[in-house]
Amino acid sequence: MQKRKLGRTGLDISPVVFGGNVFGWTADEKTSFALLDGWLDAGFNTIDTADVYSSWAPGNKGGESETIIGKWLTQSGRKRDDVVIVTKVGSDMGNDNKGLKAGWISKAVEDSLRRLQTDYIDLYLSHWPDPETPYEETLAAFDALKKAGKIRAIGCSNLDASQLAESLKVAKDKGLPRYDVLQPEYNLYTRDKFEGSLADLCIAEDIGVITYFSLASGFLSGKYRTLADAEGKARGGGMKAYLNEKGSRILDALQTVAGETGATPAEIAIAWLLNKPGVTAPIASATSLPQLESLRKAALLTLDGQAMALLDSAGA
C-alpha cells in the first residue's frame, strides 16, 4: 500500500485512515481486534481515535476506543512503529474536563497514553476550537509534550480558515510548533467546510489533511434512500440531513460511476476524496471484514476525469 506524506509531520500514512469511533460502539472488542489485524495485514497503518470516543454509546463514558486499541497493541504482538496513532483532546469528558487549556492537556495526554498502552502518540489533535484559551497557551502545552517525547506531531480539527491562519501566525510569532495537520469535515455532500480558502491555506502551507465524515455517516454508501432505510440503524438518525434533492443527485451520480467502474458507491466516494486537491487521506470506518476490504479497494481505485467531473457537479 503506497503511503502518503502527512504535511510536514514526517509521518507517512496510509491513503485511508481507519476511523476508530466504532470501537466500543458498533464494533465490540473481539470484532475491533479482528478489524485492526485486518487493517495492518491489508497494508494500512493509520488509526484515528479520540479521548471522547465513544461516550455517546449507552453505558460508555469516553476512552473506550483508545482502551481497545491499547489492548490490541499489547496483545497482538504488533510493533508499535508499524502503527500511526492519531488521537485528540478537547471534547467534553465530563466534570468540566474539556477544552485546550494547558493544565487539562497535560492530564488528558497521560490518560490517553495509559489507555493506549504506549509511551508516545504519533499525532495529537486539538478536537475543537476553544475560544476561552489563547492559541499560545495550547501550542506551548503541545510544545512541552513534544519535547518530552510524548507526542510526535500536532494538528487541529474543525478550525475554519481564519482560525487556522491565526494559529499559524501565533506559532510563528511566539516560536512555537504550528498545527501541521487539519482534520475537517469533508465529503461529496458537505464541501463548503473545506473547499475554498481553507483548502487553499492548507495547500499553501503544506498542511496535511485527513477528512472525517468521509462517507457522510454512511449516506454515501447508497444504503439510505429514505428514512425507512435508516430506521433502527446506529447511524440512522443522521440521515435526515442528506435525504433531499442534492443527496439524491449525488447518489445517482455515484450509481452511474459504479456502473462504469464496478466499484461500490462507498468506494467511489472515498476515491473521489483521494483525488481532491489538498487531501492527504480520508478517514473511514468499518465494522466487518468485508467493509474493510471495500476500503482497501477504494484506496486502489482510480477515477478518470469524466467520473470526477460528474461527481463534482452532482455535489456542487
Side-chain angles (χ1 to χ4, degrees):
M1 186 70 64
Q2 186 69 38
K3 303 296 191 295
R4 292 184 163 199
K5 291 191 178 300
L6 185 60
R8 301 180 187 176
T9 63
L11 301 172
D12 293 321
I13 68 170
S14 47
V16 180
V17 175
F18 196 107
N21 60 321
V22 297
F23 301 146
W25 175 32
T26 50
D28 61 18
E29 184 175 292
K30 181 180 179 181
T31 301
S32 299
F33 281 20
L35 290 168
L36 287 163
D37 282 331
W39 189 246
L40 265 68
D41 290 343
F44 297 95
N45 71 336
T46 313
I47 305 161
D48 175 85
T49 185
D51 55 3
V52 75
Y53 295 168
S54 47
S55 64
W56 54 84
N60 286 1
K61 60 181 181 180
E64 290 79 14
S65 175
E66 289 182 332
T67 297
I68 285 174
I69 293 168
K71 286 183 178 179
W72 168 77
L73 268 176
T74 301
Q75 297 176 22
S76 68
R78 302 280 182 172
K79 293 180 180 178
R80 175 65 182 87
D81 289 349
D82 290 342
V83 188
V84 176
I85 295 177
V86 183
T87 193
K88 312 177 196 74
V89 60
S91 287
D92 192 346
M93 295 292 288
N95 299 317
D96 206 33
N97 291 321
K98 60 182 178 180
L100 300 174
K101 293 191 180 303
W104 171 236
I105 288 174
S106 65
K107 181 181 186 306
V109 75
E110 297 297 340
D111 292 341
S112 288
L113 289 168
R114 184 185 69 254
R115 288 188 291 259
L116 289 165
Q117 299 189 46
T118 182
D119 55 4
Y120 69 93
I121 292 163
D122 297 285
L123 176 60
Y124 203 37
L125 304 180
S126 59
H127 206 160
W128 301 96
D130 180 2
E132 297 180 3
T133 307
Y135 290 117
E136 182 179 358
E137 178 178 346
T138 300
L139 295 175
F142 284 148
D143 188 30
L145 295 180
K146 287 186 74 173
K147 288 175 177 174
K150 294 180 179 181
I151 60 177
R152 294 177 64 190
I154 65 170
C156 56
S157 185
N158 299 299
L159 294 193
D160 62 25
S162 63
Q163 291 168 328
L164 180 56
E166 176 63 19
S167 76
L168 295 175
K169 183 179 185 301
V170 170
K172 183 177 181 179
D173 291 348
K174 302 297 182 180
L176 293 168
R178 67 170 207 167
Y179 288 138
D180 278 322
V181 178
L182 174 71
Q183 188 176 121
E185 180 180 355
Y186 185 43
N187 55 58
L188 253 174
Y189 187 100
T190 304
R191 294 169 59 176
D192 59 336
K193 293 184 179 180
F194 179 64
E195 290 182 4
S197 58
L198 184 55
D200 292 343
L201 178 61
C202 289
I203 293 169
E205 293 290 341
D206 192 18
I207 291 172
V209 175
I210 50 178
T211 63
Y212 76 89
F213 281 2
S214 302
L215 291 175
S217 297
F219 172 74
L220 297 174
S221 69
K223 295 186 295 185
Y224 308 106
R225 284 274 185 173
T226 68
L227 285 176
D229 295 334
E231 191 172 346
K233 301 292 194 299
R235 297 173 181 263
M239 290 304 106
K240 188 174 182 180
Y242 305 113
L243 294 172
N244 50 41
E245 182 181 348
K246 176 182 175 180
S248 295
R249 195 167 63 238
I250 292 170
L251 293 184
D252 289 344
L254 286 169
Q255 203 59 54
T256 297
V257 178
E260 295 169 349
T261 62
T264 67
E267 290 160 10
I268 294 161
I270 293 294
W272 177 84
L273 281 167
L274 282 166
N275 277 276
K276 296 304 289 183
V279 174
T280 308
I283 300 168
S285 300
T287 55
S288 68
L289 293 178
Q291 287 180 3
L292 191 151
E293 171 61 15
S294 184
L295 295 181
R296 188 191 68 82
K297 290 179 179 178
L300 301 174
L301 179 62
T302 300
L303 298 177
D304 62 24
Q306 185 175 350
M308 288 296 294
L310 177 65
L311 295 167
D312 282 342
S313 175

